[in-house]
């Protein structure tokens, strides 16, 4: 049995910052004993930051056997109580592993390795993690609430009100219903939210993107080749239909989410004199920073493994979750990055309404 986690941060020196994120900070620390750990602490910002880090800590501490070995152990955790604002935890440092985002950007991930990474990930997520859960969280209601709230907030911003209220728009040269109209149409129809509510529920990763996957090409004695990090979605989702993890994974692995996050996109109102408001949204694939995503395919094998395990999925449920993810982040970004999210969501909602 491993010792219970300590409830205070260890006395340690910060070796370096691994990531200074929007909501939290990840640091490599060294204890007086020489032991290296990673400490993750909240910055106490954003609508979800503190609670999500708490939920992440609980998730890691409550993992069922079989799944726990694919995640880091919690070595210390603090800020459990709702009134505490200093929340964080410590975990082992995986020296010699690289996260999938680093692998892609390094340009040293050959297709053979990319295939193996996808297979290792599929095996871990679909076999060890995605197990049926008796609990039925109201994911459909949560998705509906987030989309509705985001559209309302965007409607109040002068920059977006024309788009939000338009009955019809042109996006990349194609006519689509405006986002609010598309959303109202799919609510009135009801099938899609029913499909989401009735989908089987599993334990999800919740934020399954390559940056949250540590991987090495060879196995170190007794250690897994792949480790999952940073579970639970920004909005706190950790249980739901398996497609939730697929949509998130593919958004990053295809390069699109990476492009949206780093501004490698065009996303704006087009200077079109027509009566229908026109917009343009596209990833700047030609940019050299997108090259790694053009060179290796990080998603086809994973998709094939998904359908082998969970079966075919409803394209519109996929689009709905894609719109949901885009709108969650539209509320947490500004400028071009926000426009990209808003137009991505507009495209997804509009496509659902058309199909
Ligand atoms: N235990 C660890 N060992 C090695 N690297 C880690 C570890 N934890 C985090 N990292 C690195 O730090 C990055 C950020 O950590 P993560 O938990 O994903 O934080 P965030 O919620 O800010 O994305 C990861 O993408 C990975 O590169
Ligand atoms: Mg992360």
């Amino acid at each position: 049995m491993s010792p219970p986690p300590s409830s205070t941060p260890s006395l340690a020196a910060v070796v370096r910052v691994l990531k200074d994120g929007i909501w939290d900070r990840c640091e490599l620390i060294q204890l007086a004993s020489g032991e290296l750990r990673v400490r993750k602490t909240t910055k106490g910002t954003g609508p979800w930051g503190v609670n999500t880090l708490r939920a992440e800590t609980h998730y890691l501490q409550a993992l069922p056997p079989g799944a726990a070995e694919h995640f880091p152990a919690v070595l210390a955790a603090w800020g459990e109580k709702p009134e505490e604002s200093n929340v964080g935890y410590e975990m082992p440092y995986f020296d010699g592993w690289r996260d999938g985002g680093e692998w892609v950007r390094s340009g040293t991930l050959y297709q053979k390795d990319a295939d193996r990474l996808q297979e290792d990930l599929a095996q871990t997520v679909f076999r060890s993690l995605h197990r049926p859960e008796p609990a039925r969280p109201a994911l459909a209601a949560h998705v509906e609430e987030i989309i509705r709230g985001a559209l309302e907030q965007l409607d109040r911003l002068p920059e977006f009100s024309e788009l939000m209220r338009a009955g019809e728009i042109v996006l990349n040269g194609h006519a689509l219903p405006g986002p609010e109209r598309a959303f109202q149409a799919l609510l009135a129809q009801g099938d899609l939210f029913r499909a989401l509510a009735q989908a089987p529920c599993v334990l999800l990763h919740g934020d399954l993107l390559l940056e949250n996957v540590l991987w090495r090409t060879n196995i170190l004695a007794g250690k897994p080749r792949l480790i999952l990090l940073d579970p639970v979605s920004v909005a706190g989702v950790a249980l739901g239909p398996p497609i939730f993890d697929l949509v998130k994974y593919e958004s990053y692995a295809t390069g699109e989410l990476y492009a949206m996050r780093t501004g490698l996109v065009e996303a704006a109102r087009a200077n079109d004199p027509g009566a229908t408001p026109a917009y343009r949204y596209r990833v700047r694939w030609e940019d050299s920073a997108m090259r790694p995503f053009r060179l290796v395919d990080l998603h086809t094998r994973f998709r094939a493994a998904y359908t082998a395990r969970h079966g075919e999925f409803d394209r519109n449920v996929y689009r709905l979750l894609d719109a949901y993810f885009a709108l969650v982040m539209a509320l947490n970004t500004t400028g071009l990055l926000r426009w990209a999210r808003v137009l991505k969501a507009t495209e997804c909602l509009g496509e659902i309404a058309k199909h």
Side-chain angles (χ1 to χ4, degrees):
M1 277 277 288
S2 47
S6 126
S7 57
T8 50
S10 309
L11 274 175
V14 176
V15 179
R16 68 189 152 89
V17 175
L18 297 174
K19 181 172 168 188
D20 198 13
I22 310 179
W23 296 286
D24 43 52
R25 183 179 291 114
C26 245
E27 294 165 323
L28 175 62
I29 58 168
Q30 187 162 35
L31 277 58
S33 63
E35 180 188 346
L36 290 171
R37 290 184 177 183
V38 172
R39 177 187 288 161
K40 191 162 175 180
T41 43
T42 178
K43 291 178 166 178
T45 51
W48 292 298
V50 176
N51 282 337
T52 304
L53 191 57
R54 223 176 251 134
E56 178 177 328
T57 314
H58 287 158
Y59 176 107
L60 292 170
Q61 290 178 314
L63 278 165
E69 68 234 40
H70 301 287
F71 287 86
V74 174
L75 304 174
W78 53 95
E80 297 279 296
K81 298 193 190 78
E83 66 275 15
E84 290 173 298
S85 57
N86 180 22
V87 179
Y89 72 94
E90 291 169 15
M91 62 187 134
Y93 173 54
F94 292 95
D95 197 3
W97 279 255
R98 254 182 181 182
D99 78 57
E102 284 170 344
W103 270 115
V104 185
R105 289 191 301 277
S106 71
T108 59
L109 189 70
Y110 299 104
Q111 191 58 53
K112 162 175 76 58
D113 297 327
D115 288 345
R116 203 155 57 141
L117 167 52
Q118 290 174 72
E119 260 149 36
D120 285 351
L121 185 62
Q123 180 77 20
T124 307
V125 174
F126 304 146
R127 299 278 158 207
S128 304
L129 192 59
H130 280 182
R131 304 198 196 158
E133 273 286 329
R136 286 218 150 248
L139 186 73
H142 165 76
V143 168
E144 183 184 329
E145 190 187 310
I146 291 284
I147 297 181
R148 184 195 310 275
L151 296 179
E152 278 169 17
Q153 280 194 45
L154 292 164
D155 185 282
R156 288 197 289 274
L157 301 174
E159 208 182 346
F160 293 106
S161 59
E162 181 191 35
L163 167 64
M164 290 298 128
R165 292 171 196 184
E168 194 182 64
I169 60 150
V170 174
L171 181 59
N172 299 333
H174 301 288
L176 284 180
E180 280 172 5
R181 201 175 113 203
F183 182 57
Q184 289 311 325
L186 67 101
L187 280 181
Q189 215 247 353
D191 284 0
L192 198 49
F193 284 98
R194 255 192 306 280
L196 193 57
Q198 285 162 6
C201 183
V202 298
L203 178 59
L204 297 166
H205 177 281
D207 197 17
L208 191 64
L209 34 91
L210 280 164
E211 291 176 5
N212 293 336
V213 177
L214 292 178
W215 191 68
R216 51 185 297 143
T217 45
N218 54 344
I219 299 179
L220 204 64
K223 306 268 186 191
R225 200 157 54 197
L226 185 141
I227 294 140
L228 295 170
L229 298 173
D230 197 11
V232 185
S233 84
V234 170
V237 174
L239 295 175
I243 191 174
F244 192 93
D245 278 343
L246 179 73
V247 177
K248 190 69 189 224
Y249 177 78
E250 292 189 345
S251 70
Y252 189 97
T254 56
E256 188 175 17
L257 181 57
Y258 178 74
M260 284 202 279
R261 280 176 167 192
T262 51
L264 294 165
V265 282
E266 262 175 51
R269 172 86 156 85
N271 277 332
D272 188 317
T276 314
Y279 300 86
R280 187 159 168 70
Y281 164 65
R282 66 172 206 98
V283 172
R284 286 177 22 218
W285 294 109
E286 70 286 3
D287 195 292
S288 59
M290 292 306 294
R291 197 175 132 81
F293 290 99
R294 293 197 309 266
L295 291 182
V296 283
D297 174 337
L298 284 150
H299 49 92
T300 302
R301 290 243 175 167
F302 191 74
R303 165 75 71 97
Y306 178 91
T307 44
R309 170 75 171 88
H310 292 302
E312 290 299 329
F313 54 84
D314 180 332
R315 299 286 321 161
N316 279 341
V317 170
Y318 189 108
R319 292 187 180 106
L320 182 68
L321 292 174
D322 225 359
Y324 157 84
F325 284 128
L327 287 172
V328 165
M329 285 314 292
L331 299 180
N332 289 290
T333 43
T334 54
L336 175 67
L337 307 192
R338 178 181 258 180
W339 265 104
R341 261 66 186 237
V342 172
L343 290 175
K344 171 76 188 173
T346 299
E347 183 177 44
C348 295
L349 294 174
E351 288 291 332
I352 301 171
K354 273 175 66 175
H355 285 84

